[in-house]
Each structure stands twice: as structure tokens, then as C-alpha cells.
Amino acid sequence: MNMAAKLKAWNFQVLMLVQAMLGAVTPNFRMVVLSREGDIWVIRFYLEKNIEDDICEIEDIICQYTAYQDSDLKCKSEILVGHEALPRLSEADRVVYRRKE
């Protein structure tokens, strides 16, 4: 895949994640990061507290995000809860949302 095609794929995935997140982010969300590990798209949700309503929102976000895709999309999500400092990210990661802290 050439560089332009890679950039187009990244931009499409970021846009689809942003669309899926509209109206779902609460003050408990600290950061949402999109990464790629091989051929798998990884979405990491950083929450301050383990709140069941937010876990349900994340499930809805993932459902909506995958609905925007064609059937061969490989993705997974991770939920990380805590007050620790947010991690430094590699240049390959895209921060899709980050609250002011």
C-alpha cells in the first residue's frame, strides 16, 4: 500500500470513529486513541472511573463504528480505567479525543 492510500485509510478510520462518538462522550472520558497493530485497528478508551453507563456507551460506539465499515474490517477495543498520567503515544497513534486535564 502506498503512502497516499495509507493516509486515506487512516483518515477514513478517524472520521468514522469521530462520527460514532458523536453525543456519546461524557466527562468521564479522558482520551480515545486509534492505533493500528498489523491489520487490526485498535481503539483505546481511557476513562477516569468505571461507570457502567460509559461502558455501555463504548459498546455503542464500537457497534456504530463497525457499522460504517465493510465486512473485512478487523478491530478491537480496550478500556483502561484510572487516574494515572495518560501515556505518551507513538507517532503511529492518533488521539481522536482528549479532555483538558
Side-chain angles (χ1 to χ4, degrees):
M1 184 182 291
N2 68 28
M3 202 60 164
K6 285 181 184 179
L7 181 59
K8 185 176 178 178
W10 268 100
N11 288 341
F12 178 79
Q13 295 305 323
V14 169
L15 177 60
M16 293 305 99
L17 182 54
V18 168
Q19 290 298 306
M21 290 172 46
L22 288 176
V25 175
T26 70
N28 189 41
F29 282 64
R30 298 180 68 204
M31 184 166 67
V32 179
V33 177
L34 180 65
S35 303
R36 188 148 191 195
E37 296 174 357
D39 63 343
I40 300 173
W41 293 96
V42 180
I43 305 168
R44 290 184 180 90
F45 296 89
Y46 294 83
L47 301 178
E48 185 173 357
K49 299 174 186 168
N50 189 1
I51 299 173
E52 186 62 32
D53 286 346
D54 288 336
I55 304 301
C56 290
E57 287 290 352
I58 290 170
E59 292 171 2
D60 290 345
I61 290 168
I62 297 301
C63 182
Q64 189 65 43
Y65 171 74
T66 56
Y68 291 139
Q69 312 290 333
D70 47 11
S71 61
D72 62 342
L73 176 80
K74 296 178 184 173
C75 74
K76 68 177 184 176
S77 62
E78 299 174 1
I79 300 172
L80 299 106
V81 179
H83 302 292
E84 301 84 25
L86 293 170
R88 292 184 184 213
L89 304 171
S90 74
E91 290 182 17
D93 298 331
R94 299 258 181 111
V95 175
V96 178
Y97 170 81
R98 183 171 178 162
R99 75 177 188 191
K100 184 176 181 178
E101 295 191 356

